């Protein structure tokens, strides 16, 4: 290991241990690498301003974040929850099924697991505890597992970040995430149905048709959002980046004009929260680009590809290894960091082994999302534990069965690439 790379790794490790924000840790580590190797610090400006912030695709990230926050403020999440309750609330463990179905519906609009968790899933968590009588730890663990689906079913902020680094088509990635996202949701519902009998989970009552219709009617317009977005992308009416702006504008129109549920205060809150989140993401991407420059300069990506070729790894062996590594890293390292730093390092190997970049991108996204609910540091566990005022140890005790379900689906996606690639190929990608 060279002096420059040693400096980079040590600086990043020390700053991370000192609890310096990850984005700042990466930027400072990158500066340290450039200084030790005697390179012009102006490379930072060139990499970030020209290579990164000139990216048209990247504009989609703040727009989807804004759209998710406006949807939460505009009563859209509540409408989706009530519609899901009317459809599946009567099943054994009914409100648990409602949580999963609501997450699947909202995921097709938000693209963010944290937005899903803090919006409709927080409503579902409170309903499961207050009305359904679910134990707090079990309800929180199920809510966290359901939020994993949000970045898998399009639109997806992590997939946009992957496309930014890999050159893969955003439209193909979005299409590729639909079947795996549905598989994750239905697998959680099947697992919940099996647990419902053993745990004697409560269920609601089936609504008569005359009551079912109005509840579903209130959710028809919100459920048209993904149809508009994905239909526009795949028919070429607008690009994925423009779709993000359409989503934000559509959500604002519904919340202000149609439902009259957004006040000036709630709108300003959505704007400021979106600015804060977007700034964090952009700073993270900037730090990752500098670290990527160091990785490329040190030829780590080519060395890794050469080592795997010499070791005789096949596609399945490599993907299983990546699954294990990212399941471990996902509970320790930020989602954006994993995608932005490791994707450029792994892409030469992906190409060498003939793995489809769309399959690899969706597989990586699922891996990293499962990491968000994996103890001890899964971000969704901390978020929902705090929002729901539930002791973290109770959530950790209940999450393992849901992690097992999610990992089983991950293995199916790994061994059967068609689960990801069928829809993109059907649409000509």
């Amino acid at each position: 290991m060279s002096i420059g790379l040693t400096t980079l790794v040590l600086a990043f490790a020390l700053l991370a241990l000192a609890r310096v924000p990850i984005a700042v840790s990466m930027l400072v580590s990158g500066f340290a690498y450039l200084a030790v190797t005697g390179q012009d610090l102006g490379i930072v400006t060139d990499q970030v301003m020209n290579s990164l912030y000139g990216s048209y695709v990247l504009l989609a990230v703040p727009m989807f974040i804004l759209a998710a926050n406006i949807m939460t403020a505009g009563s859209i999440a509540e409408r989706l929850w009530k519609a899901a309750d009317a459809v599946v609330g009567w099943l054994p463990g009914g409100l648990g099924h409602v949580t999963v179905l609501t997450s699947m519906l909202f995921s097709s609009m938000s693209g963010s697991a944290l937005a899903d968790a803090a919006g409709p899933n927080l409503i579902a968590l409170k309903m499961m505890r207050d009305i359904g009588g679910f134990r707090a730890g079990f309800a929180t663990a199920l809510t966290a597992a359901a939020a994993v689906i949000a970045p898998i079913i399009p639109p997806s902020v992590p997939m946009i970040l992957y496309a930014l680094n890999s050159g893969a088509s955003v439209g193909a990635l979005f299409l590729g995430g639909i079947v795996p996202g549905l598989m994750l949701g239905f697998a959680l519902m099947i697992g919940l149905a099996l647990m419902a009998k053993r745990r004697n989970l409560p269920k609601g009552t089936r609504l008569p048709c005359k009551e079912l219709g109005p509840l579903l009617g209130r959710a028809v317009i919100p459920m048209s959002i993904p149809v508009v977005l994905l239909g526009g992308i795949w028919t070429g009416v607008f690009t994925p980046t423009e779709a993000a702006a359409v989503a934000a504008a559509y959500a604002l129109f519904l919340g202000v004009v149609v439902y009259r549920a957004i006040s000036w205060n709630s709108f300003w809150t959505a704007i400021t929260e979106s600015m804060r989140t977007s700034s964090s993401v952009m700073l993270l991407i900037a730090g990752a680009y500098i670290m990527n420059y160091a990785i490329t300069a040190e030829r780590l990506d080519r060395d890794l590809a050469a080592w795997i070729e010499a070791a005789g790894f096949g596609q399945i062996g490599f993907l299983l290894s990546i699954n294990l590594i990212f399941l471990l890293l996902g509970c320790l390292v930020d989602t954006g960091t994993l995608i932005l730093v490791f994707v450029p390092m792994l892409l030469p190997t992906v190409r060498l082994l003939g793995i489809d970049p769309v399959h690899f991108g969706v597989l990586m996204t699922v891996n990293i999302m499962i990491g968000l609910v994996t103890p001890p540091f899964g971000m969704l566990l901390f978020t929902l534990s705090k929002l729901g005022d539930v002791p973290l140890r109770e959530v950790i005790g209940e999450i393992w069965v849901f992690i097992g379900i999610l990992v089983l689906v991950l293995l199916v996606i790994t061994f059967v690439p068609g689960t990801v690639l069928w829809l993109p190929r059907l649409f000509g990608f």
Side-chain angles (χ1 to χ4, degrees), residues 65 154 213 328 339 405:
I65 291 172
L328 294 174
I339 294 175
I405 294 171

Side-chain angles (χ1 to χ4, degrees), residues 142-349:
L142 174 59
T143 302
V148 165
I149 303 169
I152 313 301
I153 297 178
S156 168
V157 172
M159 288 183 189
I160 293 172
L161 297 181
Y162 174 84
L164 182 70
N165 278 267
S166 67
S169 165
V170 176
L173 287 166
F174 281 6
L175 280 167
I178 292 177
V179 173
L182 294 175
M183 289 170 61
L184 289 168
F186 290 131
L188 286 174
M189 294 178 75
I190 292 170
L192 181 64
L194 296 175
M195 286 185 279
K197 296 180 180 180
R198 189 175 73 252
R199 291 177 177 243
N200 195 28
L201 297 177
K203 65 177 180 179
T205 56
R206 190 193 295 264
L207 293 176
C209 291
K210 64 179 181 180
E211 295 181 25
L212 181 62
L215 285 174
L216 294 178
R218 294 181 73 241
V220 166
I221 296 178
M223 286 191 288
S224 69
I225 295 177
V227 176
V228 172
L229 295 184
L230 302 180
I233 292 172
W234 299 330
T235 57
V237 175
F238 41 71
T239 67
T241 301
E242 292 164 346
V246 170
Y250 194 7
L252 185 60
F253 173 77
L254 292 181
V256 174
V257 179
V258 179
Y259 300 138
R260 301 182 184 275
I262 296 181
S263 63
W264 278 111
N265 286 338
S266 60
F267 176 67
W268 181 246
T269 299
I271 292 290
T272 54
E273 183 60 32
S274 300
M275 292 171 61
R276 186 180 298 110
T277 305
S278 299
S279 299
S280 300
V281 172
M282 295 303 175
L283 189 61
L284 180 68
I285 296 173
Y289 259 67
I290 304 305
M291 294 194 75
N292 288 340
Y293 171 81
I295 289 169
T296 303
E298 296 290 331
R299 299 178 60 88
L300 290 182
D301 51 350
R302 293 183 178 88
D303 291 344
L304 177 63
W307 178 81
I308 289 176
E309 183 178 19
F313 273 106
Q315 289 187 2
I316 295 299
F318 172 72
L319 291 177
L320 288 176
S321 300
I322 291 298
N323 284 347
L324 180 60
I325 291 170
F326 277 92
L327 285 174
L328 294 174
L329 290 177
C331 64
L332 299 171
V333 184
D334 179 82
T335 299
T337 305
L338 287 173
I339 294 175
L340 294 165
V341 173
F342 285 93
V343 166
M345 189 186 301
L346 294 169
L347 279 177
T349 305

